[in-house]
Each structure stands twice: as structure tokens, then as C-alpha cells.
């Protein structure tokens, strides 16, 4: 059979030319949920589920993840790369926040960015082994990227 006898390839996701909106939203939702889980791991499950009881609270946590991923998607035009970079930023900050809450009882603030060097110098004085929630969150993020 020659190429002329084949029906035309459909445009869209199968031909690699479409935008998989569902995958984009699922990826953003997954990263947001992992971030919320890490934010509440030292407090308890009740607070984690409270994020979903009030839709506006969840939406206010979901929109920044969505915007960051959209910016990376516009820059690189690769969904897997935008998901990876967004996850590294959001989940990395969430892991840092969970350690700060565990060690100091306060959440990560913008002012803390300037003191990261001091924190790294004194980090050897603390037990910084990752907990079960952090390990499971990293595994869930890896599964999310692989899907």
C-alpha cells in the first residue's frame, strides 16, 4: 500500500499536535494535593481534608500551581517538563516548609529565603531524615510524572 491509500491521520493528541488539557489539569491537581499533604503532615489529616471542604480555599492553593505550570508549559512546550519543574519548585518548598514546622513550629515565609544559608549551616545539629509522608509524597510525584 502506498501512502496515498491510507486515510489521513487525525489531528489532535494522537498525532502529537493537540494539547492534552486533562493531563495538564490532573498534573496540577496532583502537585497541589501533594503540597497540601506535606503542609499538613505534622498537624494531622483533619486539616488536609478541610482544604477540600471549602472549595475556595482549595482553589486559592490550586491556582498558583496551575499558573506556574502554565508558565513553564509556555516556555518549554513540553507537559512533562513543565510538570517536573513545577513539582520540584512546589513540592521542594513544601518539604522545606514541613521541616521548618517540625523544627521551629512556624511556617516558611518569604523572609526565610535570605536565611537559607544560615539554616543549612546549622542543619547538621538536627535529625533531618525524611518521614514517611515525605517519602510517599516523592513516590507519588514520581508516579504522577511517569503517567
Amino acid at each position: 500500500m502506498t501512502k496515498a491509500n491510507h486515510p489521513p491521520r487525525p489531528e489532535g493528541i494522537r498525532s502529537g499536535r493537540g494539547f492534552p488539557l486533562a493531563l495538564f489539569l490532573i498534573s496540577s491537581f496532583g502537585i497541589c494535593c501533594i503540597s497540601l499533604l506535606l503542609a499538613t503532615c505534622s498537624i494531622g489529616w483533619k486539616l488536609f481534608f478541610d482544604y477540600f471542604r471549602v472549595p475556595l480555599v482549595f482553589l486559592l492553593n490550586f491556582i498558583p500551581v496551575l499558573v506556574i505550570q502554565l508558565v513553564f508549559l509556555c516556555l518549554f512546550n513540553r507537559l512533562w517538563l513543565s510538570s517536573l519543574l513545577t513539582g520540584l519548585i512546589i513540592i521542594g518548598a513544601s518539604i522545606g516548609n514541613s521541616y521548618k514546622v517540625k523544627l521551629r513550629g512556624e511556617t516558611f515565609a518569604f523572609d526565610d529565603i535570605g536565611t537559607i544559608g544560615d539554616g543549612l549551616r546549622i542543619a547538621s545539629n538536627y535529625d533531618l531524615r525524611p518521614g514517611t509522608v515525605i517519602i510517599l509524597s516523592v513516590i507519588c510525584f514520581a508516579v504522577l510524572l511517569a503517567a
Side-chain angles (χ1 to χ4, degrees):
M1 264 187 170
T2 64
K3 217 174 190 186
N5 294 339
H6 290 278
R9 260 181 103 172
E11 294 294 321
I13 294 174
R14 291 184 183 183
S15 64
R17 295 189 184 127
F19 176 68
L21 180 63
L23 292 176
F24 176 76
L25 293 174
I26 289 169
S27 174
S28 296
F29 178 80
I31 292 169
C32 182
C33 288
I34 292 170
S35 172
L36 294 175
L37 177 64
L38 287 167
T40 60
C41 68
S42 62
I43 299 167
W45 286 101
K46 183 182 181 320
L47 182 60
F48 175 74
F49 291 114
D50 283 345
Y51 282 116
F52 299 98
R53 287 192 183 101
V54 181
L56 185 60
V57 172
F58 177 77
L59 192 63
L60 289 173
N61 285 285
F62 179 67
I63 288 174
V65 176
L66 193 72
V67 169
I68 291 170
Q69 188 164 2
L70 185 62
V71 167
F72 283 133
L73 186 64
C74 290
L75 286 174
F76 301 112
N77 198 24
R78 298 283 181 263
L79 182 59
W80 70 269
L81 185 58
S82 68
S83 297
L84 174 68
L85 294 175
T86 303
L88 290 176
I89 291 170
I90 300 293
I91 295 172
S94 297
I95 289 172
N97 181 57
S98 68
Y99 275 115
K100 186 164 184 217
V101 168
K102 180 175 134 182
L103 297 173
R104 297 205 42 196
E106 57 188 37
T107 60
F108 189 78
F110 187 73
D111 295 342
D112 294 330
I113 292 174
T115 61
I116 287 177
D118 295 334
L120 292 174
R121 278 194 294 280
I122 63 169
S124 62
N125 299 334
Y126 296 99
D127 178 24
L128 298 177
R129 287 178 290 175
T132 307
V133 174
I134 292 175
I135 293 170
L136 289 176
S137 297
V138 171
I139 291 170
C140 287
F141 178 58
V143 168
L144 180 69
L145 283 176

